Amino acid sequence: MSRDLSRIRNIGIAAHIDAGKTTVSERILFYTGKTYKMGEVHEGTAVMDFLEEEQKRGITIQSAATTCPWKDYTINLIDTPGHVDFTVEVERSLRVLDGAVAVFDGKEGVEAQSETVWRQATQYHVPRLCFLNKMDKMGADFDFSFNSIIERLGAPAVAVQIPIGQSSTFRGIIDLIRGIAIYYSMDEKDRGGKWEEKPIPADEQERYEKWRHTLIEKAAETDDALTEKYLAGEEISEAELKAAIRKATISFHMHPVFCGSALKYVGIQRLLDGVLDYLPSPLDLPPIHGHDIKDPEKVIERKSDPDEPFCGLAFKIVNDQHGDLTYVRVYSGKLPKGSRVLNSNRNKRENISRMFQMHAADRNPLEVAEAGDIVACIGIKEALTGDTLCDPDHPILLERPTFPEPVISMSIEPKTAGDKQKLGEALTTLKREDPTFQANYDEETGQTIIAGMGELHLEILRNKLTRDMKVDVVVGKPKVAYKETIVGSAQNVRGKHVKQSGGRGQYGDCVINIEPFDGTGVEPEVLKKLGWQDGVAFENKVFGGAIPKEYIPSVEYGVRMAAKTGVLANYPLINVKVTLVDGSYHQVDSSQIAFELAGQLAFREACSRADLTLLEPIMKVVVTTPEEFVGNVTGDLNRRRGMIVNSDQRGNTRIVEAEVPLSEMFGYTTELRSMSTGRASSVMEPLKYSPVPSQVKKAILEEVG
């Protein structure tokens, strides 16, 4: 008999860096009986932060998965990083999760990375609970943090709990659904195991009534039966209220807000109850949609049912001494150990030789996985992140997660000839593990250029190479990943490749128009027809057989290859539309390679005529600083060509938001510390690409030579 899928929850813990995600995860593991010794992030002993780098730095770098029981339910939990350099870990985790707990700092409320994580969860349609953590922290403010969720995220947040006291007076929570006050023993030795349930105290009665009234009002808005009861002034039962909140949470009409202090063991058990009560099981979600391999227009759906044909998504690959571990979310059917499955992205068969249920770095062997499970498999050789695994007799292609482009690069060379081969193998492994990491060999300089999401990202990868993979390397300075684009347009530009060398020659001739095009405001179907990819659109408008049909793809390939290597300074050229309008061919001498070269020649010439410029990555920088250093901080950001876009007062602290070119931000954290005597902090994330000012462009082109 198959197990009850309604008793499974696949959830992630996600938030801004330092909001307390990993501490929340550690408490969950303790209360669910998965660990008996509590780990602490600040001591470097957290179970979910098991990498050496994570324990040294006190931050989460890669998402860790575990499975834990709670009240006859199974919770598959993924703890994700908060640092923007590791945003890919959040992206791919949210792609396969059914629900998430967004953790917020009770003093800071919504912070920069909270917005990014929230946006990612919305993109993948993941229902969320909110947990206002650190209510015992100096300066904690429930009302401010709660309102920041509504104002800054535009989210329909509704409190189901409110704190009794806050900051140094925090001693428990009021459950708005049950109408009781829960007082915790704040003695850390009790580890949240001792509490008392009492009636609402007189001094909290008015506050309780106000918040409860809002909760019932919002719940009634989402349910017709409750609306009638509410308007008639009838009592709404606890079960009715919970059912309405659950339905509204799954349909994104509500995000229940819990509160507590993970460090002081307050509120975690009730948060776990909330996960069971309000977040969806695999059965609550619509069937997963995919495409037919042979006919991409045909949509196939798979229900979350063990009796359906198997399909799953490989969402994470981890290099391991016993063989690569491939994490798979099973969406439908069963996956027995030892079975052969089809990788529909690569049209290759894969073997599932062994399978595990993961608990951070530890693993429990499994014989079979079913719909709703998240497992790690050994034996899969070809799959990359985002590939679909399925039953060979019932192929399906699921949508891949999208990953951001790298914004920073640096050169890397092996120290000795012996390290050369090892470096190649190690980089291949890193690329499989991390889709935002890129490595390319530069023929001209003989160097390998690696690219990633930020300085910390590249530093961690470099440490992995030298310490874990034992490859000695010499590393250059980090460089910005610039892009090229065109400012104007060019019409009827000819590219002609003619070569006669005795015998059969080469003949390719094409005429193109080019214009700026960034794809915004264009329907997805239109973009698909234009082959919108890597910032280049290509349209064929050749009539009357001026160029035979079989050579059109060769012209397009030549155009795309030329765009990849750039025209101005060897940076990729983006945001351009190329229209093929005319050309000619030779009955004998024309070939695919000749038209490919003609396409390259035409594209380069057209771009030169259309006026080229460089684009640079602009970062969204959020600085939190005491009031007395605001002048220093804003002056320094202006000096770095930054544009201040917002400045908020929070108590005696100022939150300064700016848009600054990445090229000006190297080593910023160290300089910020020194100008604020270590009291200011900052986070930054990629925002957009913008044209480089002419003076800066001149300097970059001189440097490139």
Side-chain angles (χ1 to χ4, degrees), residues 606-641:
C607 287
S608 302
R609 287 194 207 173
D611 193 9
L612 286 153
T613 191
L614 286 179
L615 296 172
E616 62 182 342
I618 303 293
M619 310 300 281
K620 176 184 173 184
V621 180
V622 180
V623 183
T624 306
T625 174
E627 195 63 46
E628 62 259 44
F629 302 113
V630 171
N632 291 0
V633 167
T634 53
D636 182 65
L637 289 171
N638 287 327
R639 182 178 63 77
R640 294 171 185 271
R641 296 195 284 124

Side-chain angles (χ1 to χ4, degrees), residues 91-240:
E91 193 89 35
R92 60 180 164 197
S93 300
L94 288 172
R95 169 67 176 81
V96 297
L97 292 172
D98 301 335
V101 175
V103 181
F104 301 92
D105 186 310
K107 178 189 174 191
E108 310 296 342
V110 172
E111 298 173 86
Q113 191 64 11
S114 320
E115 294 184 45
T116 306
V117 168
W118 195 268
R119 195 169 59 244
Q120 287 170 316
T122 302
Q123 179 190 341
Y124 290 115
H125 308 294
V126 179
R128 277 142 280 171
L129 305 182
C130 304
F131 182 65
L132 294 182
N133 191 23
K134 303 189 180 184
M135 289 313 302
D136 59 316
K137 184 180 176 181
M138 192 59 107
D141 185 335
F142 179 83
D143 288 19
F144 163 76
S145 299
F146 178 83
N147 288 331
S148 73
I149 297 172
I150 294 171
E151 289 160 15
R152 292 193 62 180
L153 300 177
V158 179
V160 293
Q161 295 175 349
I162 54 173
I164 302 170
Q166 51 194 22
S167 190
S168 57
T169 61
F170 177 64
R171 57 193 188 282
I173 51 183
I174 289 174
D175 186 328
L176 298 174
I177 293 173
R178 292 173 61 205
I180 55 163
I182 306 162
Y183 292 88
Y184 283 81
S185 151
M186 300 305 273
D187 188 339
E188 288 201 20
K189 289 178 193 164
D190 294 330
R191 294 185 166 186
K194 284 187 183 174
W195 67 83
E196 277 186 278
E197 294 186 359
K198 293 183 177 179
I200 309 290
D203 61 339
E204 293 283 3
Q205 192 69 37
E206 191 183 330
R207 191 162 152 262
Y208 161 71
E209 295 287 354
K210 173 181 156 261
W211 284 96
R212 169 144 173 118
H213 176 77
T214 306
L215 171 62
I216 291 174
E217 194 175 53
K218 296 287 185 191
E221 279 175 16
T222 64
D223 188 287
D224 292 342
L226 283 196
T227 305
E228 285 178 28
K229 272 194 153 189
Y230 174 70
L231 293 172
E234 293 176 38
E235 188 64 35
I236 294 172
S237 71
E238 185 185 321
E240 286 175 317

